[in-house]
DNA sequence: TGTTAGCACTCCTGCTGATTGAGTGCTAAA
DNA sequence: TTTAGCACTCAATCAGCAGGAGTGCTAACA
């Protein structure tokens, strides 16, 4: 579709614009060492690229900036993998070196480092509890009317839920139920739990099933923790460092979006698709039509269980972000599988 | 110190500025119904008030705006309590009506409502666990090397901590220890726990104290959960709606501050002092010298255990904010004491 | 003596028009 | 096919000017 020279010029323009944030003119490109053509030639090519939809002109006498289509072509065809510097790799490795940390802490550090290294906003979706295995169930009565259900996973995650006790139930009965559950359901993965829960109990104590129904429901609820609690965000204010976001109005919409976990979750695509890049208008949410989102998954036992990503301006250092994300996702997967 | 008329004029100026965000001139004041003087008279008084440090002039031919000292006088002497409208009271009452909610949820709703009703940023410091009483301790081994310590309070809060098991310890020994702790320490308030922990154990099992020292340490750690996890924030972006914060630079510093929980905690003063108001330069943090912070405490059994507050521009609707904060703090205290 | 009308003065704000300069598109020549 | 040259466009900048809001001061008035 595009000639070699056009690709070269498009690449040069995007590169330049990413670093300068100014529309780039033909002379700037022709001066670059790797381009051996005069500004007039570049101008002709630029006009063609604009006609094809890869470039845009803010106004008649300005330089060109990449369109969404232009970025897309750049990302799909022109980008070359950027290797992280030795210093950066060391920094990242250190993050994963300290195994003593609780996994939650590793996730938090990941988010922090991700934002710090890229200077964009990092978003992290914690591991789905789905793949975890049950280690322990406990019900602690607080008083005559209330109790807390506690569920521990094999990775050391603890979920809990406060609930009202069914009237007239005996403490001893609860204990019996919990003991039974613990003996039968230990090491069962969460995705099987719902099914097994009723199956195991049904055989043992058909008699007063309805008695326990309420409690079983609560335990079931504890398994499926609120999705939006999985979201972690760092460096939300980084976007303000970008010259094209000097305007409070633009920034406000973005930051308001980031305050809503349920919407942030929707920035992540399907976890099974590896590295995903959504550029500018490719995003469905109005607030971030001038932003790009790059996400990728990390894995447990070969299955994607969580995601990490970056939100930045469309004028983003794509190749660097991709490298860092890739490195961190692999690191996380490794840690997760070792536990 | 100030004459009645000066107080009246200062009050009018602050009121006006709070709602208009524009420097207010003498004519504006003299036109108000409650003021019976000509603009010239007002001008003289204004000049005096400026000399006394209560007002400032952005430039020679502009109106006056209140100085920090001016706001301080306004807050301390001029403000009159604003009663919430029936609609607002209903709205707030509804928040507390639904007792089924977990206390954490009430705290979250409080933060949300606080921000929504005032249109400023709300900051909430969750209840100090200090005053809670122990209900249950549990240690769940995950594998040969690791375990999770779980502590449940009488209000249904669950704290947990992952830790490495001391080598060579028997599961049965742990169970014995936990059983002992549960039988001896139930209903002991957290502030006594550290002391009682060693006291109770020492009598029973002097023999292998050093064996258990590590585990006791972990349990102790679980009591004193990280302070910064207590912070909850809502409506961080509200500040951007204020005309004096249209500038990204100003806003950035504030939002960066709000991203750091440890710094947000420092916005709260001592919990024992009731309603606290820090205006503009009275704040120590550079980023919020153009903001005001109002905080107050909520109580459990007569003791302050947590705080709620508002961060907004110095040009804040003080009387409204104070009313809402007061109402919510009392509501929270009531709920907390009923559980 | 306190209040106020009047007036000169200051300074911000918004508008206009001229200038500059970066960058373009087109044409004609190499 | 490439490129030098040139006319053209348009945003950005700045000086200059008018308008207006608001002040401080003075002198007159009750």
């Amino acid at each position: 579709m595009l000639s070699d020279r056009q690709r070269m010029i498009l690449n040069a323009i995007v590169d330049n614009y990413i670093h300068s944030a100014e529309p780039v003119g033909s002379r700037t490109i022709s001066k670059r060492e790797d381009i051996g053509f005069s500004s007039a030639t570049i101008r002709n090519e630029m006009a063609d690229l604009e006609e094809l939809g890869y470039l845009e002109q803010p106004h008649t006498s300005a330089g060109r900036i990449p369109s969404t289509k232009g970025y897309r072509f750049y990302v799909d065809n022109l980008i070359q993998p950027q290797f992280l510097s030795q210093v950066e790799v060391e920094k990242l490795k250190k993050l994963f070196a300290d195994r003593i940390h609780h996994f939650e802490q590793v996730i938090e550090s990941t988010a922090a480092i991700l934002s710090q290294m890229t200077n964009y906003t990092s978003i992290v979706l914690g591991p789905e509890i789905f793949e975890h295995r049950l280690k322990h169930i406990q019900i602690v009565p607080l008083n005559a009317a209330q109790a807390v259900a506690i569920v521990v996973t094999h990775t050391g995650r603890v979920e809990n839920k406060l609930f009202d006790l069914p009237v007239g139930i005996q403490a001893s009965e609860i204990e019996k139920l919990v003991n039974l559950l613990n003996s039968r359901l230990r090491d069962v993965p969460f995705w099987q739990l719902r099914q097994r829960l009723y199956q195991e109990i049904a055989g043992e104590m058909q008699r007063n099933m309805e008695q326990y129904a309420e409690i079983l429901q609560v335990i079931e609820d504890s398994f499926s923790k609120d999705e939006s609690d999985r979201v972690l965000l760092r460096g939300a204010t980084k976007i303000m460092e970008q010259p094209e976001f000097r305007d409070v109005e633009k920034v406000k919409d973005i930051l308001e979006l980031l305050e809503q976990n349920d919407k942030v979750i929707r920035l992540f695509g399907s976890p099974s698709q590896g590295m995903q890049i959504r550029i500018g208008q490719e995003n469905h949410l109005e607030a971030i039509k001038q932003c790009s989102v790059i996400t990728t998954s990390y894995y447990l036992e070969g299955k994607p269980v969580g995601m990490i990503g970056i939100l930045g301006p469309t004028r983003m250092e794509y190749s660097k972000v991709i490298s860092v994300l890739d490195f961190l996702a692999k690191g996380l997967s490794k840690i997760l599988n070792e536990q």
Side-chain angles (χ1 to χ4, degrees), chain A:
Chain A
M1 192 85 168
L2 294 187
S3 71
D4 277 359
R5 193 167 72 186
Q6 281 174 321
R7 298 162 71 103
M8 203 168 82
I9 290 173
L10 181 55
N11 184 48
I13 291 173
V14 178
D15 261 0
N16 227 283
Y17 184 62
I18 284 176
H19 293 104
S20 73
E22 298 287 332
V24 359
S26 54
R27 228 176 90 79
T28 315
I29 298 300
S30 86
K31 269 193 294 190
R32 280 176 58 133
E33 289 186 354
D34 52 340
I35 309 265
F37 301 96
S38 77
S39 64
T41 309
I42 309 292
R43 272 204 292 285
N44 290 328
E45 295 285 26
M46 278 172 142
D48 289 350
L49 284 170
E50 182 171 355
E51 207 169 333
L52 292 169
Y54 295 98
L55 297 179
E56 283 170 358
Q57 217 172 0
H59 56 86
T60 327
S61 71
R64 302 301 208 295
I65 62 175
S67 65
T68 295
K69 186 174 172 186
Y71 282 119
R72 172 52 64 196
F73 190 87
Y74 172 80
V75 164
D76 288 346
N77 304 293
L78 304 177
I79 242 173
Q80 44 225 14
Q82 182 192 313
F83 295 104
L84 299 175
S85 75
Q86 196 58 36
V87 183
E88 290 173 320
V89 171
E90 285 308 318
K91 209 165 158 186
L92 294 176
K93 276 194 176 158
K94 226 174 112 188
L95 162 65
F96 294 124
D98 198 355
R99 297 283 157 66
I100 298 168
H101 288 331
H102 197 298
F103 185 74
E104 302 282 323
Q105 277 174 32
V106 177
I107 291 276
E108 273 180 38
S109 307
T110 302
I113 295 256
L114 198 47
S115 166
Q116 188 206 321
M117 284 196 59
T118 58
N119 261 310
Y120 304 120
T121 303
S122 69
I123 42 180
V124 172
L125 197 57
E128 202 161 351
I129 205 161
F130 209 57
E131 294 291 338
H132 292 201
R133 291 190 300 278
L134 179 71
K135 204 72 204 180
H136 190 76
I137 293 178
Q138 179 86 20
I139 290 184
V140 179
L142 300 175
N143 49 49
Q146 291 187 307
V148 182
I150 299 173
V151 170
V152 186
T153 76
H154 81 291
T155 61
R157 253 181 108 111
V158 179
E159 305 292 345
N160 69 85
K161 195 169 163 65
L162 186 80
F163 68 100
D164 290 325
L165 285 167
V167 279
I169 200 161
Q170 296 292 323
S172 61
E173 288 182 282
I174 296 179
E175 210 178 314
K176 221 167 77 188
L177 173 67
V178 170
N179 284 340
L180 182 67
L181 290 175
N182 273 318
S183 65
R184 296 298 173 83
L185 299 178
R186 178 156 303 153
D187 292 323
V188 171
F190 271 53
W191 62 271
Q192 285 186 358
L193 268 181
R194 174 190 292 253
Q195 178 195 352
R196 293 281 296 272
L197 195 61
Y198 291 94
Q199 193 178 315
E200 294 289 345
I201 304 303
E204 201 75 21
M205 26 174 77
Q206 318 88 319
R207 230 172 11 99
N208 19 17
M209 266 308 272
E210 66 286 349
Q211 265 267 33
Y212 298 118
E214 241 173 297
I215 294 185
L216 292 178
Q217 184 59 48
V218 169
I219 293 175
E220 204 183 312
D221 287 349
S222 311
F223 302 156
S224 51
K225 192 168 186 195
D226 195 1
E227 274 280 291
S228 64
D229 285 351
R230 289 172 61 204
V231 175
L232 192 63
L233 220 115
R234 280 298 149 87
T237 56
K238 296 270 185 186
I239 194 77
M240 295 177 155
E241 288 168 16
Q242 303 300 333
E244 62 265 54
F245 289 94
R246 284 277 152 75
D247 179 19
V248 171
E249 283 311 311
K250 277 188 203 165
V251 170
K252 184 161 188 286
D253 289 343
I254 299 174
L255 291 183
E256 271 174 5
L257 169 71
L258 294 182
E259 277 192 324
Q260 302 162 269
N261 279 357
D262 55 324
K263 291 204 176 152
V264 173
I265 285 189
R266 281 197 268 149
L267 297 182
F268 292 101
S270 137
S272 53
Q273 289 173 20
M275 187 78 61
Q276 288 169 78
I277 304 176
R278 243 151 294 120
I279 300 166
Q281 323 200 301
E282 293 171 12
N283 289 294
H284 293 308
L285 293 166
E286 200 55 43
I288 53 164
K289 294 249 177 189
Q290 301 197 44
C291 297
S292 286
V293 178
I294 309 188
T295 60
T296 192
S297 305
Y298 55 88
Y299 294 79
L300 175 64
E301 293 164 9
K303 288 179 198 151
V305 292
M307 301 186 78
I308 62 179
I310 283 288
L311 171 79
T314 42
R315 195 182 59 70
M316 184 195 279
E317 286 195 68
Y318 292 94
S319 69
K320 169 146 193 193
V321 170
I322 290 172
S323 312
V324 176
L325 275 178
D326 190 59
F327 191 101
L328 280 179
K330 283 183 180 146
L332 268 182
S333 304
K334 210 167 143 214
I335 277 227
L336 204 48
N337 283 293
E338 276 170 5
Q339 280 190 341

